[in-house]
Amino acid sequence: MRADDLAALREETAAQLAAAADLRAWDAVRVGVLGRGGRLTALLKALGALPPEARRERGAALNRLKAELEAAIEARRAELEAAALEARLAAERLDVTLPPRPHPPLGAEAGAIHPISRTMEELVAIFGAMGFRVAEGPDIESDWHNFGALNIPEHHPARQDHDTFYLPPGPDGRRPVLRTHTSPVQIRTMLTQPPPIRVIVPGRTWRADHDATHSPMFHQVEGLVIDRAITLGHLKGCLIDFLRAFFGIADLPVRFRASYFPFTEPSMEVDIGWNRRTGELGKGGDWLEILGSGMVHPRVLANCGLDPREWQGFAFGMGVERITMLKHGMADLRPFYESDVRWLRHYGADPLSPPSLAEGV
């Protein structure tokens, strides 16, 4: 291809660019000329086969042509983008002669209470009717409050770094911990309040876990009752009443299974009846673990200065997200923390309708 052929390439490219009606057609022209298999690219690759003098002359001509074509292609792109923007603006123009949209009903634009916050309110309402009060404590705890006082041994897996978030060591050489449960508040309550005790402890907790059903930060509610002559019968009655009230199923099947926790003896897992195939609660012949519970271990009582021969008690704990997901049929925990307004509008609660045991929760 000689100089006249370069002129022909210049003219053909200009004609193709003028005929390109949109960015897709423009890109096809650009690739056909400057792409890896483009016509100008092929000419540049062929320079190596020419003698030195011819290569120098030919290369200079091709580089000039390349600069011209790149400028023409870029100018055409700007024209097409401007035309596309003009067309979009014309199509999306607001017609100010249209009547205004009707305002939504009063309260339709009001915010909604997050499902976790609503569940917390329901828990307080149910257990409050049983005589429990709410106890709170710090999110950053000492090793003793979070583990030692609860009879959790030094070699327990919960103390490992892969399960627990630790902070730099304090003056005593022990590392504070982001509490892994709200049980430290039970310890603080027994240390500062004489029995009888009846408290629930809702709050944030942290563990190194993250998937569809676990979050590094999540919420728990735990309960503690300390008094004289407390038995497993009191524990069972309390939890059965709570579960049936919370899920709104008067005959919800509830099962207690022997288990092990360092801070309770005996310990029990609590299951509720459900249908494994449909996920419906209270139906079918399957069982779903819902929470852990047990009688407060004598060592825990002694660690808090209470005589186990005089005082007995029971404790329980459950994940707030877990029971919320079960109640509302949610399959994934992660949307709880994604701030999706559509999700919140769907699952959120009316802020003007607080939970009431008289009206149901």
Side-chain angles (χ1 to χ4, degrees), residues 90-268:
E92 297 180 358
R93 182 176 300 160
L94 177 65
D95 186 353
V96 295
T97 65
L98 289 174
R101 295 178 180 176
H103 287 289
L106 182 63
E109 293 297 327
I113 296 179
H114 195 280
I116 291 178
S117 299
R118 174 42 60 98
T119 297
M120 293 280 203
E121 293 177 349
E122 294 175 358
L123 293 170
V124 171
I126 296 172
F127 285 112
M130 298 181 188
F132 286 77
R133 68 174 184 86
V134 175
E136 296 179 328
D139 292 350
I140 299 176
E141 276 290 3
S142 68
D143 180 271
W144 188 81
H145 284 97
N146 197 80
F147 295 121
L150 290 162
N151 196 39
I152 299 176
E154 292 285 346
H155 61 270
H156 195 279
R159 290 178 176 263
Q160 303 303 311
D161 288 350
H162 59 74
D163 277 349
T164 300
F165 295 109
Y166 284 96
L167 281 68
D172 60 355
R174 287 189 172 271
R175 295 180 295 173
V177 60
L178 286 175
R179 64 183 185 185
T180 59
H181 42 195
T182 57
S183 301
V185 183
Q186 298 186 31
I187 299 298
R188 292 179 177 273
T189 301
M190 287 188 282
L191 288 171
T192 57
Q193 176 183 327
I197 297 172
R198 187 175 297 188
V199 296
I200 59 168
V201 188
R204 293 170 298 183
T205 55
W206 286 265
R207 295 179 189 174
D209 205 354
H210 191 210
D211 55 39
T213 56
H214 297 85
S215 170
M217 188 283 293
F218 59 102
H219 297 78
Q220 273 193 345
V221 61
E222 299 189 7
L224 173 70
V225 172
I226 301 293
D227 208 334
R228 293 183 175 90
I230 294 294
T231 68
L232 282 174
H234 298 109
L235 168 63
K236 294 180 66 175
C238 174
L239 292 181
I240 291 173
D241 285 351
F242 159 70
L243 292 170
R244 289 176 175 174
F246 178 77
F247 290 111
I249 304 174
D251 58 348
L252 178 69
V254 180
R255 181 178 70 174
F256 292 78
R257 286 183 295 108
S259 185
Y260 167 76
F261 303 111
F263 31 81
T264 52
E265 179 61 37
S267 305
M268 289 179 295

Side-chain angles (χ1 to χ4, degrees), residues 9-20 22-36 38-41 64-82:
L9 176 58
R10 182 186 296 108
E11 294 173 359
E12 290 175 10
T13 302
Q16 292 173 353
L17 287 173
D22 54 33
L23 288 172
R24 179 175 295 181
W26 166 86
D27 192 57
V29 176
R30 181 189 64 82
V31 172
V33 175
L34 300 177
R36 289 187 177 182
R39 298 168 65 188
L40 183 59
T41 305
R64 288 193 297 270
L65 177 61
K66 181 180 179 182
E68 293 177 16
L69 294 182
E70 286 178 341
I73 290 172
E74 182 62 23
R76 184 55 177 164
R77 181 191 64 81
E79 293 176 0
L80 291 173
E81 287 183 346

Side-chain angles (χ1 to χ4, degrees), residues 114-116 207 209-219 319-326 329-339 343 347:
H114 195 280
I116 291 178
R207 295 179 189 174
D209 205 354
H210 191 210
D211 55 39
T213 56
H214 297 85
S215 170
M217 188 283 293
F218 59 102
H219 297 78
V320 176
E321 284 86 346
R322 176 171 172 76
I323 61 175
T324 303
M325 292 170 68
L326 288 173
M330 304 171 180
D332 196 325
L333 175 115
R334 289 166 290 194
F336 277 97
Y337 309 110
E338 292 177 350
S339 301
W343 184 89
Y347 289 109

Side-chain angles (χ1 to χ4, degrees), residues 266-298:
S267 305
M268 289 179 295
E269 301 277 5
V270 182
D271 306 331
I272 58 175
W274 77 312
N275 188 310
R276 185 184 301 273
R277 184 175 60 86
T278 65
E280 187 177 4
L281 299 179
K283 304 291 184 180
D286 303 311
W287 294 98
L288 178 66
E289 182 270 323
I290 192 74
L291 61 92
S293 65
M295 302 299 292
V296 179
H297 198 290

